[in-house]
Amino acid sequence: QVQLVESGGGLVQPGGSLRLSCAASGSIFSILAMAWYRQAPGKQRELVAGITGGGRITYADSVKGRFTISRDNAKKTVYLQMNSLKPEDTAVYYCNLDPPSPAYWGQGTQVTVSS
């Protein structure tokens, strides 16, 4: 079983930065492919960035060059560094396995980009 807890969201101005964290439990974390997802009101949940246990990384086209996903297996934590934030990045951000498991969706963390 895996438990995932997101944190780090907040209100930020356009062009600003936030760093999201996803703290995980579970002894097999290091071999799991993880990802950040986001869902804005009225929109589908989408994959933002993914990272495999071996470190292979993918990004949505909309965040390439602005967001960086990383993981610290010793801390069982996945990070999402978000720079140059835009209003269209406003959403609830979730972490989960990649592909996601329905059992592991948490509450997410709200990111609001507004002046």
Side-chain angles (χ1 to χ4, degrees), residues 45-64:
R45 182 148 48 199
E46 64 175 337
L47 178 72
V48 177
I51 183 167
T52 70
R56 179 164 48 85
I57 292 171
T58 58
Y59 295 103
D61 287 343
S62 59
V63 307
K64 285 181 179 177

Side-chain angles (χ1 to χ4, degrees), residues 20-86:
L20 307 184
S21 297
C22 173
S25 63
S27 61
I28 61 170
F29 173 81
S30 64
I31 68 171
L32 296 175
M34 303 294 298
W36 286 96
Y37 306 82
R38 68 185 181 187
Q39 187 167 27
K43 299 179 69 176
Q44 293 181 294
R45 182 148 48 199
E46 64 175 337
L47 178 72
V48 177
I51 183 167
T52 70
R56 179 164 48 85
I57 292 171
T58 58
Y59 295 103
D61 287 343
S62 59
V63 307
K64 285 181 179 177
R66 300 188 298 120
F67 291 10
T68 303
I69 189 171
S70 61
R71 66 193 297 163
D72 185 335
N73 288 336
K75 296 181 178 180
K76 296 183 178 180
T77 301
V78 183
Y79 303 97
L80 186 68
Q81 178 67 47
M82 306 187 296
N83 299 325
S84 301
L85 283 161
K86 304 175 180 179

